[in-house]
Amino acid sequence: MNKKIIYYILSNLFKILIFLFLFPLGISFYYGEGLRLYISFIAPMLILGILTYKFSRENPEDHSFFSKEGLVIVSLSWLLISFFGAMPLYLSGNIDSFISAFFESVSGFTTTGATIVSDIEAMHKSIIFWRSFTHLVGGMGVLVLVLAILPKGNNKALYIMRAEVPGPSVGKLVAKMSYNSRILYIIYLTITAILIILLMLGGMSFFDSCIHAFGTAGTGGFSSKNSSIAFYNSSYIHYVLGFGMLAFGLNFNLFYLLILGNIKQVLKSEETKYYLFFVFSSVTLICFNIYKTYDSFLKMVRDVFFTVSSIMTTTGFSTVDFGQWPLFSQIILLLLMFIGGCAGSTAGGFKVARVVIVLKKIAKEFKKIGHPNKIINLKLDDKTVDKDMSEGVNTYFLLYVSVFLLLVLIVSLESNSFLTAFSAVAATFNNIGPGLDAVGPSYNFTNYSALMKLVLSMSMLLGRLEIIPMLILISPKIYKDID
């Protein structure tokens, strides 16, 4: 394994992280928050500066790398950014233990939105900003940002994209991966800027508009208010964020196709059709289930649409305590937690593309019962799903279920009910945020021990990176070939 290329990528990552810390530091100076807050951002910047100097001395002559290096780079990067991202939360005194700060940082970067903070409004402005800013950075992927600015982009960088961008496959928009990453980030930041403007038009302050736009763009869900979006009793804001979450739950390649005017190909996307079908059918079923509990039909539709959008895209914003809804509605939401958004989006979950492939494989087996000798090709968007992708979905499904059940077993040691343990893992592993029962939207994860917070932090990282990169990192075999 080429350790020099790993150091080279990490040194570029550290440079970006130093730059990113300047934003909350500037806000801290703007609000005059005091020396302790300034130091809480400057200290990690200095450490990162030293590490950057040390790692940049290992600049490799050969910039090419392969799948093994890509997986190690991705898993190491996410652990390191979560560690350094936790430092301001802890050093500022806003969170009283480093493990809790690490949990919060992992939750931010993985765009999970699970929190241990009970009183968000009591936190310093710069810390509130940093929590949500991590959503914006982690949504598209911090290493996609690194690839976008690397002076020497090469197609081997696809190994990093495949490991970091969630979904069963990653396609290239253009030939060079550095250009590919830049296109994705330009689209991502442009839609985020539009969302900020729309929220300001609805009466939000510029600061709060940024916070909630970051949470929507990264489908993370951190808010600047204790009651989340319920604080804003505005149909306009709820619908803007509801449709915003759905937009960021789509495959970003579709936006590029729209820019090129290739509407026909966008409309052919089966994954998008299934995605919208799951949303529409869930909203309809839940409305039928809870209509007796509402006096206003329009308010019911608004609350249900917002909640379904939030859960389906694994954002985690809330306007109502859906833990108080009937069991039927809660089960629908629980299913949506597992489905998640589209491949190549900022959303978590199993991914709609994989669900579609699994459903088609089941339908294929039923068709073969009557015609056992008939050859039936599995197709997605009128293209045959190759054997590698089909087997990859099977492998990931088995890994997904196995790791999920193991995590539920561990978390059950400190949970007061099966629903709490199950939904706590579902909420973290699928990068959603709030679960049900004792970890529902009206509660948080603060009652878990330091050890369990570490377990749930790993659950978030495993879910965000889709398991394999994190498992590779702890495999002894991977280090035997280090140069």
Side-chain angles (χ1 to χ4, degrees):
M1 186 165 60
N2 184 2
K3 71 176 181 181
K4 288 188 177 181
I5 191 64
I6 295 174
Y7 290 153
Y8 172 70
I9 299 290
L10 288 179
S11 67
N12 280 279
L13 172 68
F14 293 158
K15 289 175 189 174
I16 289 176
L17 203 48
I18 291 169
F19 172 72
L20 295 176
F21 275 130
L22 291 174
F23 289 90
L25 179 61
I27 287 173
S28 188
F29 276 116
Y30 178 79
Y31 285 102
E33 292 177 335
L35 184 62
R36 182 173 182 178
L37 267 295
Y38 307 154
I39 291 173
S40 68
F41 293 107
I42 293 171
M45 291 169 72
L46 291 173
I47 296 170
L48 286 165
I50 294 168
L51 289 173
T52 300
Y53 172 74
K54 178 177 171 54
F55 283 6
S56 60
R57 292 165 65 187
E58 296 282 348
N59 193 7
E61 294 178 7
D62 182 10
H63 283 246
S64 64
F65 53 90
F66 298 94
S67 180
K68 182 167 54 177
E69 285 88 354
L71 292 169
V72 171
I73 288 166
V74 168
S75 51
L76 265 179
S77 297
W78 280 79
L79 281 169
L80 288 169
I81 62 170
S82 298
F83 176 83
F84 287 108
M87 290 183 72
L89 303 176
Y90 175 65
L91 294 175
S92 65
N94 281 260
I95 295 179
D96 58 8
S97 83
F98 188 79
I99 297 295
S100 293
F102 180 74
F103 176 94
E104 200 78 7
S105 178
V106 171
S107 181
F109 280 113
T110 59
T111 71
T112 303
T115 185
I116 50 84
V117 179
S118 299
D119 190 357
I120 296 162
E121 294 173 41
M123 300 176 83
H124 292 91
K125 291 279 190 180
S126 59
I127 297 298
I128 292 174
F129 178 87
W130 176 242
R131 286 171 78 243
S132 292
F133 193 51
T134 57
H135 281 337
L136 185 70
V137 176
M140 183 58 67
V142 69
L143 285 164
V144 175
L145 180 57
V146 172
L147 296 179
I149 65 170
L150 276 179
K152 292 185 180 180
N154 67 72
N155 289 334
K156 296 296 178 75
L158 186 61
Y159 291 121
I160 285 180
M161 288 273 292
R162 282 176 177 160
E164 186 178 42
V165 178
S169 67
V170 171
K172 293 194 290 182
L173 302 176
V174 292
K176 281 193 174 182
M177 287 308 300
S178 58
Y179 296 158
N180 192 87
S181 303
R182 286 170 201 165
I183 290 168
L184 287 173
Y185 252 99
I186 289 168
I187 294 170
Y188 181 58
L189 294 177
T190 301
I191 301 174
T192 304
I194 292 170
L195 189 57
I196 290 171
I197 294 168
L198 290 174
L199 290 173
M200 289 178 68
L201 291 174
M204 267 195 196
S205 67
F206 177 66
F207 181 83
D208 284 346
S209 295
C210 288
I211 296 299
H212 294 103
F214 295 166
T216 304
T219 59
F222 278 154
S223 175
S224 55
K225 304 297 180 184
N226 290 333
S227 54
S228 189
I229 307 302
F231 178 87
Y232 303 96
N233 189 22
S234 162
S235 294
Y236 172 83
I237 288 174
H238 290 186
Y239 277 115
V240 165
L241 289 174
F243 283 108
M245 289 184 286
L246 288 182
F248 282 101
L250 290 166
N251 190 321
F252 270 73
N253 289 2
L254 296 179
F255 293 110
Y256 183 66
L257 292 172
L258 281 174
I259 292 169
L260 296 179
N262 197 342
I263 298 173
K264 188 179 288 187
Q265 195 170 340
V266 172
L267 295 175
K268 281 173 63 178
S269 171
E270 278 191 80
E271 183 183 31
T272 304
K273 291 174 184 175
Y274 274 90
Y275 173 68
L276 296 176
F277 169 75
F278 289 144
V279 171
F280 177 77
S281 57
S282 298
V283 169
T284 303
L285 289 171
I286 292 174
C287 282
F288 272 116
N289 187 229
I290 68 169
Y291 76 93
K292 290 181 180 178
T293 63
Y294 274 82
D295 296 325
S296 168
F297 175 78
L298 292 177
K299 187 176 186 307
M300 176 190 70
V301 172
R302 184 184 80 184
D303 287 346
V304 173
F305 170 72
F306 186 91
T307 302
V308 167
S309 298
S310 181
I311 296 299
M312 181 77 182
T313 60
T314 71
T315 305
F317 281 141
S318 60
T319 56
V320 292
D321 184 358
F322 52 79
Q324 301 303 313
W325 286 357
L327 182 60
F328 177 78
S329 296
Q330 291 187 44
I331 289 173
I332 290 175
L333 294 177
L334 202 58
L335 290 172
L336 294 180
M337 288 182 187
F338 286 97
I339 295 171
C342 298
S345 71
T346 62
F350 189 68
K351 300 293 176 298
V352 176
R354 287 196 182 99
V355 173
V356 173
I357 291 172
V358 169
L359 290 174
K360 283 177 175 283
K361 290 180 84 167
I362 292 170
K364 177 183 171 182
E365 292 305 313
F366 272 104
K367 287 177 183 176
K368 289 188 75 172
I369 291 172
H371 305 86
N373 297 321
K374 187 177 180 180
I375 297 173
I376 303 171
N377 290 323
L378 200 65
K379 290 190 175 184
L380 188 66
D381 295 339
D382 293 329
K383 295 177 183 177
T384 301
V385 176
D386 60 48
K387 187 178 178 182
D388 287 343
M389 181 182 285
S390 181
E391 290 179 354
V393 170
N394 290 343
T395 303
Y396 182 71
F397 179 73
L398 290 172
L399 264 175
Y400 181 94
V401 173
S402 301
V403 173
F404 183 87
L405 292 176
L406 178 62
L407 287 168
V408 170
L409 184 63
I410 296 170
V411 174
S412 68
L413 293 170
E414 289 189 16
S415 300
N416 57 9
S417 70
F418 172 76
L419 184 58
T420 296
F422 189 86
S423 66
V425 175
T428 52
F429 193 51
N430 294 311
N431 304 133
I432 296 159
L436 296 169
D437 203 22
V439 290
S442 297
Y443 305 95
N444 56 42
F445 290 75
T446 192
N447 291 325
Y448 283 111
S449 68
L451 178 62
M452 206 55 64
K453 284 172 186 171
L454 282 176
V455 170
L456 291 169
S457 297
M458 290 304 106
S459 174
M460 290 185 271
L461 287 167
L462 283 163
R464 175 61 180 82
L465 300 180
E466 301 200 328
I467 304 171
I468 293 174
M470 293 302 295
L471 294 184
I472 287 290
L473 190 64
I474 60 173
S475 171
K477 189 178 179 182
I478 200 75
Y479 303 102
K480 288 182 179 177
D481 323 330
I482 292 180
D483 296 340

